[in-house]
Amino acid sequence: GFRTELCKSPGFQTCKIICATFQSHTFTRAVLKRAANAITSPKASRPPEKLMGRCRCCLLVAASLLTAAAAAAFGWFYVWQVLYAPYLQGARDIVYDAARERVIISALHSNVIAVVDVATPSKPRTLGWRADDAFTNAHGFAYDHGSATAYVASYGRGSLAKVDLRNPARDKLPVVATLENDELYSATHASYDAARNLVFVTAAGSHDLGEDADVLRGGHDLLVVDAATMRRTGLLKEWGAGAEPAYPVYCVYDAARALLFASNDARNRLEVVDVSDAARPAVVGEVAAAPELAYVSQLALDAPSNLIIAASQKGDSVAVVDVADAANPKILGSLTSDTLDGATGVAYDADRRLAYVASEFAGTLSVVNVTDRATPVIVAGVAHDALQGGEAVAFDAVRRRVFVASRTSACLVEADVRDAAAPTVVAALCTPRTPADAVKVVAMVAGSLLFFLLALWLAAAACSRKRYARQGYGQVDTFDEDGYDLGDFELGRLETKDEYCDDDDDDEEEEGLPQV
């Protein structure tokens, strides 16, 4: 009964116009034709069964409009969220998985973890990425190469998320577990101990000491987390002498000596933390230097030679630090250069004693020879638009490739450094969302809408055209009583009345015939 009343409503009279778009379908042609005529007919009431038959036209129209809306929404999502998805916007940290030939990237502006296949040189291919609140302002992460698991430190959320990256796909990087508490406030980075299945997380806390106590509720510490249970097992809050709380930014782990090395931006220091007792981590050594260790965003550790290469963003420099004596680390040498303006990322090639330094303000990748540890020297470099905002560097020792995560340009840059004297950028996988991208998306959506409106206009024109002929031509094929063809008898031109007929008995074969 409800559908019968619905079909009587004046709003369904528009179906006559829209239904013409379905005329190409053999099955619906007759139904739509009868429904359009019936709905616009001035006749009085019709039997409910007749109304229900004609209502099918309206139901098909409604279904078509819903389908069109769903298709437009999907198209918008695909274009905006996939083709032009800015999933590398704010790329901040990077790790190279040599066994799987993949690069893992955390991006702090898009709150994303991404997995990129780099098995084919110069042809990086995104395998999967996920945007999640658990990755809010993801500054850095630890990576378990054995199980392909990332432990993502969320600066914005103050949490540590455990993510399974074994089978990467679009939005199918499952967050296995999350640890969130005040001690992880402004978490910056993490390192992983495979032997003990532990994660060491640095938390910077508030960088503005003038803020109120509520903002200064946590952070400025090192948290030891059991990776299996995602529960805290140890905490370090005492970083040694100094008036200001610690602001740890980046850390690397020496598994052989159970030592964690963390950059402390609040004091321009490199801190050495003994984590052999996971429940009671303790600072055992430190070295301070400005500008050599002023805001170190990435450290490269060569454990066999007890060397750390530090890139200083504020110092525009790279420093070589001897950590053989954990209690007394020493800066052996440093290099400051305009080419290293905003030096942020660094990776180390131990075989050739070369450091690869990404400078975010200069937009360069520099090759620094540290054979003479007291006097590092830039031997070559390459500049590229995609290197603007270069934040972190990873090195493929087998194929001698360098991968740079660029924060500003939202790119993964691949450089060939087989010839250290002539490094070359061979690929750049970029995902920026620019004004031009927005224009393309709007143009595509507007074009599809205009096409749809054009189809409706043509349908309206077709439906409004009177379906009769002003003149016709008649011919009769005649036969005798025995069935022999006697030829054609021509009637000549026939005039028709200026009207469109709809006979009362609704006979399908007779309806709509012109009156002669």
Side-chain angles (χ1 to χ4, degrees):
F2 169 75
R3 287 184 296 173
T4 300
E5 293 301 320
L6 182 67
C7 293
K8 292 179 180 179
S9 64
F12 280 97
Q13 295 182 12
T14 56
C15 294
K16 182 177 179 180
I17 297 176
I18 303 176
C19 283
T21 60
F22 296 94
Q23 290 299 313
S24 60
H25 196 289
T26 304
F27 171 74
T28 59
R29 185 178 303 150
V31 174
L32 301 184
K33 174 182 176 183
R34 291 172 63 90
N37 292 337
I39 291 172
T40 57
S41 174
K43 297 176 181 179
S45 62
R46 295 176 181 269
E49 59 274 11
K50 296 292 184 180
L51 289 173
M52 290 307 303
R54 292 167 178 81
C55 185
R56 277 178 285 182
C57 168
C58 304
L59 296 177
L60 286 173
V61 169
S64 70
L65 293 178
L66 290 175
T67 303
F74 176 78
W76 176 272
F77 173 82
Y78 179 75
V79 172
W80 192 240
Q81 293 295 332
V82 178
L83 294 183
Y84 298 107
Y87 57 89
L88 292 182
Q89 197 72 43
R92 179 63 182 84
D93 198 13
I94 188 170
V95 168
Y96 175 62
D97 185 339
R100 298 173 179 83
E101 294 189 291
R102 296 174 179 173
V103 168
I104 298 90
I105 301 171
S106 67
L108 56 86
H109 292 159
S110 52
N111 306 330
V112 158
I113 285 292
V115 182
V116 180
D117 177 58
V118 292
T120 304
S122 75
K123 293 183 179 180
R125 179 175 61 93
T126 301
L127 296 177
W129 56 273
R130 176 170 180 164
D132 197 285
D133 289 342
F135 313 143
T136 301
N137 209 339
H139 268 54
F141 62 96
Y143 186 68
D144 176 6
H145 290 261
S147 64
T149 301
Y151 299 88
V152 184
S154 169
Y155 186 92
R157 187 174 178 180
S159 64
L160 181 71
K162 182 178 181 179
V163 190
D164 184 355
L165 304 180
R166 287 174 298 177
N167 298 301
R170 169 71 176 92
D171 253 354
K172 294 182 180 179
L173 306 179
V175 176
V176 178
T178 303
L179 173 64
E180 183 175 1
N181 58 37
D182 287 346
E183 291 155 352
L184 288 172
Y185 182 55
S186 299
T188 51
H189 201 254
S191 290
Y192 180 69
D193 181 353
R196 296 183 289 174
N197 200 23
L198 296 175
V199 182
F200 308 104
V201 190
T202 55
S206 173
H207 201 36
D208 184 357
L209 301 180
E211 297 183 31
D212 57 36
D214 182 64
V215 176
L216 294 173
R217 64 184 182 274
H220 311 292
D221 53 36
L222 169 69
L223 202 68
V224 183
V225 179
D226 184 338
T229 62
M230 290 296 284
R231 293 182 179 179
R232 190 192 83 178
T233 61
L235 178 67
L236 169 67
K237 294 192 74 72
E238 299 297 329
W239 293 83
E244 295 182 350
Y247 190 86
V249 176
Y250 195 91
C251 62
V252 290
Y253 181 60
D254 183 349
R257 297 192 290 169
L259 294 174
L260 188 78
F261 302 94
S263 61
N264 185 349
D265 182 52
R267 304 170 187 174
N268 300 326
R269 287 180 180 174
L270 176 66
E271 310 275 5
V272 184
V273 183
D274 182 355
V275 291
S276 56
D277 183 354
R280 298 176 179 82
V283 175
V284 295
E286 61 186 17
V287 57
E292 293 89 343
L293 298 178
Y295 199 83
V296 174
S297 290
Q298 190 172 21
L299 300 166
L301 170 67
D302 181 27
S305 62
N306 292 317
L307 283 182
I308 282 183
I309 313 298
S312 169
Q313 183 199 60
K314 295 181 181 178
D316 304 332
S317 64
V318 59
V320 182
V321 185
D322 181 1
V323 292
D325 182 358
N328 297 289
K330 299 177 181 178
I331 294 180
L332 300 178
S334 64
L335 168 67
T336 302
S337 171
D338 291 340
T339 306
L340 301 176
D341 185 15
T344 310
V346 62
Y348 186 59
D349 179 353
D351 292 339
R352 297 188 290 178
R353 296 183 179 179
L354 297 174
Y356 305 102
V357 183
S359 303
E360 63 172 332
F361 302 142
T364 60
L365 175 66
S366 301
V367 182
V368 181
N369 191 320
V370 295
T371 302
D372 182 354
R373 299 173 181 178
T375 313
V377 178
I378 296 176
V379 296
V382 58
H384 195 279
D385 288 343
L387 289 171
Q388 291 292 332
E391 283 275 338
V393 182
F395 177 58
D396 175 5
V398 176
R399 298 188 182 183
R400 290 182 174 174
R401 296 180 295 172
V402 170
F403 301 99
V404 181
S406 293
R407 177 175 179 173
T408 305
S409 57
C411 294
L412 168 65
V413 182
E414 179 183 345
D416 184 348
V417 293
R418 288 176 293 180
D419 182 359
T424 306
V425 172
V426 296
L429 175 64
C430 301
T431 63
R433 181 179 284 173
T434 65
D437 296 332
V439 171
K440 292 177 184 177
V441 172
V442 171
M444 293 177 69
V445 174
S448 62
L449 291 177
L450 288 175
F451 182 80
F452 182 68
L453 293 175
L454 177 62
L456 289 181
W457 181 81
L458 292 175
C463 287
S464 63
R465 188 179 300 117
K466 293 183 178 181
R467 295 184 239 178
Y468 60 84
R470 292 286 182 179
Q471 291 184 336
Y473 191 84
Q475 176 178 296
V476 178
D477 198 9
T478 60
F479 303 87
D480 66 9
E481 58 187 8
D482 295 323
Y484 290 101
D485 189 355
L486 298 179
D488 297 334
F489 179 75
E490 297 190 6
L491 301 177
R493 293 187 178 276
L494 305 174
E495 295 297 324
T496 63
K497 291 185 179 181
D498 189 10
E499 67 177 274
Y500 181 78
C501 299
D502 181 12
D503 97 350
D504 293 334
D505 59 3
D506 289 327
D507 187 3
E508 180 67 22
E509 287 72 28
E510 296 294 328
E511 183 177 69
L513 293 177
Q515 294 182 354
V516 180

